[in-house]
Amino acid sequence: MSVRRRTDAHALAPDFARIPARRIIVVSPTIHLRLGPGDRVLVNAGQKVVAGTTIIERTTDPEFVEVGRVRGSDNGRAAGTPAAPGWVSSTGTTVERRRPPVPGKWWVGGDDRRGRLARRDNPRRIAGTLLYELNERWTAAAGERHEQIESPVAGVVTAAANCIGVSMKVNGAAIMASVAGGQPSRGYLDVPRLVDGELRETSLDVGRSGAIIVAGGRVSAEALTKARAMSIRGMVAGSLGQAELRDLAASDARQRAGLHLVPPFGVLGLDGSQRRPIASPILAVLAALAGREAAIVTDPPLLVLDVADVPLPELPPDWVRVRSGTHAGREGRWLGSAGLHRFRAGIHLEAANVRLGDDLQPTVIALADLERFVS
Amino acid sequence: MSRQPRAFFALDFGSATTSAALVGHAGGRWRLLAHAAAPSATDLDAQLYGILERVGQADRDLLDFVTAQKRAKIAALVADLSRLESHSSPPRQIAVLAGSRRQRRRLEEVAARAGWLVVGGSADADDPLALSRLVLAPETDAVLLGADGIPSGDERRHLPMLGALVSAAARCRPELAVVLAGGAAVQESDFSGTGAHDRIPQVAETPADTGPPDTGPLAPGEAEPAAAAEAAADPSEAPSLAAPSLPAGTEAAPSEGDSPTSVAAPQVAPASMPVSAPDGRDRVLLAPDGEAGHPAGAALQQVLEGLRARADDTRLGIARSVRTLALLLDKPVEAVEVGINGGLRCRAEPFGTGQLTVAASHAAMAAGSFAPPNPSDDIVDSILAWSTVVLDRYRLSDRLYDMRICPWGEADGEGALLRLAAAKSAVARLVAATPEISARDMPYVLIAAGGVWASTPPSVVALAMADLVRRPGVSRLACDQARLLGPLGAITDEEERQTMLKDLMEDVLLPLGSLILPSGVRQGRSAGRMRVLGDSANSDIDLQPGGIWAVELPPGQTAVAEMDFKDTVRLGGRGHRFTVEVVGGLGGLFVDLRDIPLRLPDKADQKRSTWEAWQRAMWSEIDE
């Protein structure tokens, strides 16, 4: 492997430049981790984090809670009455010791905070975020159960806000995907032997626990279920069907409803939802980084690689891949423009002559069905 | 040469397709010289280079004439020529909150017509936590809190809570735009501390009409731009080359390093004028309630469009161009546009012959997309209902998803059939959302626009229009093949747009043919006869109910169709005998004797066979 030179599309021909370009890797992308009411961030904007740092505390069972008056602002005391315990007078100046309540502020409450211990054997202790204030009484989204989320990647926090989310600029490079499911996760990259570009389900065993597995052209719902059961952290495939995504989301929802915490599991489809093999330049990058730590991010769909200098494969400058249509997934060399060509059903499209694989004869393929790779 | 260029690029930057056209002034009028469409990821300069090269190969003298440069290098012309641009606004989401379900549904309809992706909740059905989730979601760009002008009890008691909730969300997310509609405006005081909404007024500003751009000193013999526009408006005074000036809204070609998608906002027409807060602080937008305007909700729709769309939005540009076309033709004009991120249905109709006022209505809807994000089961089923390809729901969902991420992929064969079904389903949603347009008579011209029709055979586009816009009458069918209506709609000045469209009308509207669509034809026996008397061909057709026929009538030709029905039918008016003038097109003359509305078998396979039979009649290459 060596760092290859840039493919200059214009140097070949203006027609070649009209083929949509696909980046093999993107450097330092920005990712987002979304939050909802009841969730809080544990980092600040500008903070550097490493993979594994706890950055979010999520309330897994948030409910609407009427908090009442909250100390720390004037709304808790009537005019003329002494300051609430949250207010400290020293040297003649009133100093506010706690931050005033604002929407999104973390709030901890429950029976023990209200002096109602006698009412229950096991007093409820709930926490969450404040929602809004109405008639000087606050409401909150809060619950009893919380889970802490670790950062799947190293980077710098660019924005962080309770109830909203965390944005981070990632250190390192990433491979872009088209579709993602599950949660952000992290593991070592495992590139098992693929048979005809596909992964055999029997290859999934507990020995691969903690891995992100490159699973070939398509990953089935059964393989996803099995992988989660084996504590595998994620799978990367050429395509990921909408049915599999729905199954995964339903499975996630069931586990959350059962308050059963499992390790995060994510899945990526690099090219879309219809079956096609992983592009050879991408597969070459993955193979070169096998065994290294990687992370699956779902917003945007990315496979983040913990290395800044990714070894890129050497490709002929006229290398193209068919991304859709009857030859989807095949790769070859661009021979030249075929002009306006009449395709099936009498559709006229701009086309190119491409020598696919070891074919002796060139194939005419619509320009829009092709992609070229840029580094 | 010392003359200024008499040509410009009209560019339509769609979400999936970038369409470029070269418009030049030659032979005393503006003409469409060449156009091309390509996936939006394609290098724009390569696309423009290709267009100029084609024109140069066909007629180098013409290229030299319109560019006012002798044998200039094509690459230099790509950089030099001015550009008139329109852009598809990116999809944005609005959270609609109301006190009651009734009000929520009303507001959701209006927001959807304004092109927003809509999520909604009402205080009587959802708990405050669910409502907070809606407004705090990162994909939500704006919140619409609305009530009747005078809120009824069921709404009024929830308004304080909703106002507090939205105000709190606005403090958490300062970038959130807030619209208080109707009686919800009383909650404006809740936002006095949020402070950070000072950015909202930018959509409320009226871009100044700066007139034509400074095109530099005039060459000897050239007229002043204003005078040129006046002269161009009067055909009798516009024969010379001195007349044309580039339309306002054209930008000088970008200098090196400029983004090709840069926008000259003040020079293009404003999207709509939102109503700002009366005290001028503009922390939130105050808007009319969901019933104001004609049709109901039009006033609020205008505010929401102004908040969502760019000033040079393509769909709003098409609606403006259609209004101008209606003025020029002095006839009703309708357009249906379908794209990857939404669709548009619009109609403009002069109040009377010779009137300079038009009644216009439009809905630019995100739901009008042919491959919407996260399609619901209803949408998937609707596409399956239009499809002649046998697919299950999951496979169709996969293909829709891939169509969304690669809209130009697999445009031939089965992909073309699927794309057609998706487009028809999108048009059906647009038609269902615009009952006020469907209630009007068949338009004089019906225009199909949008990237989804780009590669579809003309007769199939005509069939799709006949399938979906079903009202008795006679209409001319056309296609905005070069996608010029959007960029031309970005021209600020109505008069200038009229001048430009007057010249370009025949080039912009690619004729598909004429559609004759009677209603009340009884099934089961011959409905009568029709004779088509034209310059090149005369036909005598037995009118069989339940079918659609295409009669060959080439573009540019006119004919007279005489119909003699056995029963009384409706075709504009009621009667047995009708004589109408029809024009030719790429598809010819279409005579549609199917039911209005279409009656189809209940069983899926029979329905598919019926579609296939009608489709095959218009698309003989389908089995290639």
Side-chain angles (χ1 to χ4, degrees), chain A residues 11 21 41 75 147 171 190 209 244 248 267 294 306 311 336:
Chain A
V41 297
N75 74 5
E147 77 177 305
N171 294 341
D190 189 351
S209 168
E244 282 74 27
L248 187 62
V267 60
D306 270 356

Side-chain angles (χ1 to χ4, degrees), chain A residues 10 34 62 64 103 131-132 141 164 178 218 242-243 246 271-274 276 323-324 342 344-345 347 368-369, chain B residues 43 128-129 133 139 161 164 168 172-173 377 394 398 401-402 405-406 408-410 412-413 455 619 621 624:
Chain A
H10 286 281
R34 297 180 176 203
F64 180 70
L131 284 179
Y132 61 87
I164 310 294
S178 294
R218 178 100 178 194
Q242 297 296 303
R246 281 195 192 195
D271 284 327
S273 291
Q274 289 178 269
R276 74 206 84 181
R323 60 177 179 172
S324 51
R342 184 184 171 106
R344 294 174 300 159
I347 304 293
D369 282 338
Chain B
D43 181 39
L129 182 58
R133 278 203 189 96
E139 57 270 20
M161 182 276 283
C172 288
R173 298 187 55 207
D377 285 347
Y394 288 124
D398 286 353
Y401 189 88
D402 281 6
I405 58 177
C406 182
W408 277 66
E410 202 182 355
D412 60 328
S455 57
W619 198 350
E621 308 92 341
E624 282 183 11

